[in-house]
Amino acid sequence: MKDVYLFSGFLGSGKTSMLTDVIRQLKEKNLKPAVIMNELGKLPFDSQAVEKDIPLKEMLEGCICCSGAEKTEAQIQSLLLDSDFDVLIIETTGAAHPVEALDAVYSPLFADKLNVKGIVTVADSKLWLHRETLTPQVRSLFMEQIRHAHLLLANKTDLLTEVEQGQVVYELQGLNPHAFILQTTNGRVPLHLLEGLKATTQADKADIVKAPIASLQLGSRLVEFTDVEFSQEQFEDWVRTLPETIYRMKGYVPIEGIKNPMLFQYAYGMVQWLPEYIKMPAKLVIIGENVGSLPVIGMN
């Protein structure tokens, strides 16, 4: 399986500086990185920082967590088929919500080939101290990126006094007590901290895997349905039993009387079914908190 890191952080926080330094460390360990870079504009400014010998996919004029989700799946599929790499780094735009960005990475077509290690968020320490100057919507996004990190970089600490540095760490810990917080300049993070992140993907073949995902807010679970079918009503009845901490599901569900598993999507309480004209693998990806202990329909 390929390790995957999702780099998150607000505009100008230092994600690309972190990316180039992590790439350097990976190459020093003779690990081959690949990069998917998402930029909101028409020009790939940040991707110019990636060396020519590294497999790179660019997504311009769109957010990875909005209309770009299907494009992201295609880019990952292309990398898996055509490129030789050990580690995949996905750098999101500064406008990406981390939960939705993580969702865009998961696809039942290749979820069992990727080991998503977690979200690494870079936070501009000075901006954090002046967050009240942001509009409510922007401030909310800024805080959500921090809240859902598995590893959190309090960046640009060289611009703060010691007292301010201590205030930033204290307040960030209050917002996200689960993440390891590292004070940084220029987004420099030791590779071993990334490698030590817990994998967030579990795969079910027949029974529920009860191992908890320790210290992570967000996790995912890949469920494979074998020799079982449901009615849409049965499946939606199960969906209604889910806690609010299940944010997203997508995959292909075998439905009684229908030849091919149907494409199923769930996001924040909304359900969507679409017919499939080719036989897709009956797999479902569940994204949320405490997914390891979630009873899944059809799993004994």
Side-chain angles (χ1 to χ4, degrees):
M1 295 178 74
K2 315 286 189 182
D3 283 347
V4 182
Y5 299 95
L6 196 146
F7 287 1
S8 174
F10 197 64
L11 298 161
S13 60
K15 291 191 301 297
T16 303
S17 297
M18 175 174 64
L19 173 67
T20 54
D21 189 58
V22 168
I23 288 173
R24 174 189 63 79
Q25 295 180 72
L26 287 169
K27 295 179 83 169
E28 286 177 355
K29 288 190 66 174
N30 293 317
L31 293 171
K32 299 175 182 177
V35 176
I36 293 178
M37 187 169 285
N38 182 212
E39 300 194 54
L40 286 173
K42 293 184 178 181
L43 298 177
F45 290 110
D46 289 344
S47 60
Q48 295 171 14
V50 179
E51 298 168 49
K52 301 298 183 186
D53 62 331
I54 295 173
L56 171 68
K57 299 290 185 181
E58 297 166 331
M59 293 178 57
L60 304 180
E61 291 192 278
C63 178
I64 194 173
C65 59
C66 305
S67 59
E70 291 184 2
K71 294 179 184 176
T72 306
E73 292 185 8
Q75 300 283 38
I76 294 174
Q77 189 81 313
S78 175
L79 282 172
L80 288 170
L81 290 172
D82 302 332
S83 301
D84 179 20
F85 67 95
D86 303 304
V87 177
L88 174 60
I89 299 172
I90 301 176
E91 182 184 324
T92 66
T93 74
H97 188 291
V99 176
E100 295 175 347
L102 185 63
D103 161 51
V105 177
Y106 289 112
S107 166
L109 298 178
F110 49 71
D112 55 352
K113 298 182 178 67
L114 301 178
N115 178 30
V116 182
K117 300 282 281 182
I119 299 170
V120 183
T121 296
V122 189
D124 183 328
S125 297
K126 198 168 187 67
L127 180 61
W128 171 260
L129 291 177
H130 296 91
R131 61 191 180 279
E132 295 305 320
T133 63
L134 302 171
T135 65
Q137 294 89 343
V138 170
R139 184 168 65 249
S140 176
L141 175 63
F142 182 41
M143 295 178 73
E144 283 293 289
Q145 291 170 338
I146 292 166
R147 191 192 312 275
H148 291 287
H150 303 130
L151 174 63
L152 182 56
L153 274 59
N155 199 30
K156 304 184 182 180
T157 54
D158 54 318
L159 304 178
L160 306 181
T161 66
E162 286 189 13
V163 172
E164 288 174 329
Q165 290 177 17
Q167 179 185 346
V168 168
V169 171
Y170 177 78
E171 292 177 352
L172 292 179
Q173 284 177 333
L175 182 60
N176 185 346
H178 304 280
F180 182 87
I181 299 175
L182 178 70
Q183 292 180 290
T184 58
T185 57
N186 300 316
R188 293 185 178 272
V189 54
L191 185 61
H192 71 84
L193 285 181
L194 274 70
E195 293 175 330
L197 291 174
K198 302 291 185 182
T200 60
T201 301
Q202 295 177 204
D204 288 326
K205 290 293 184 182
D207 298 319
I208 297 170
V209 179
K210 295 188 181 294
I213 303 176
S215 76
L216 291 185
Q217 290 173 280
L218 283 177
S220 77
R221 184 169 171 182
L222 176 64
V223 177
E224 182 173 346
F225 299 112
T226 55
D227 301 321
V228 63
E229 288 184 337
F230 317 99
S231 68
Q232 285 183 243
E233 183 180 5
Q234 283 177 319
F235 200 81
E236 290 186 22
D237 284 345
W238 169 71
V239 170
R240 281 190 283 271
T241 69
L242 297 177
E244 292 181 358
T245 51
I246 300 302
Y247 303 121
R248 188 78 163 88
M249 292 186 289
K250 60 181 177 181
Y252 301 94
V253 178
I255 297 297
E256 294 172 351
I258 296 179
K259 181 180 178 182
N260 298 319
M262 292 186 70
L263 174 62
F264 173 79
Q265 303 237 29
Y266 169 89
Y268 307 103
M270 301 294 291
V271 166
Q272 181 184 42
W273 294 93
L274 291 172
E276 276 294 330
Y277 299 101
I278 57 175
K279 188 173 179 62
M280 303 300 289
K283 297 180 181 181
L284 180 73
V285 174
I286 306 171
I287 300 169
E289 300 177 33
N290 299 317
V291 292
S293 59
L294 181 73
V296 177
I297 185 172
M299 299 287 111
N300 298 317

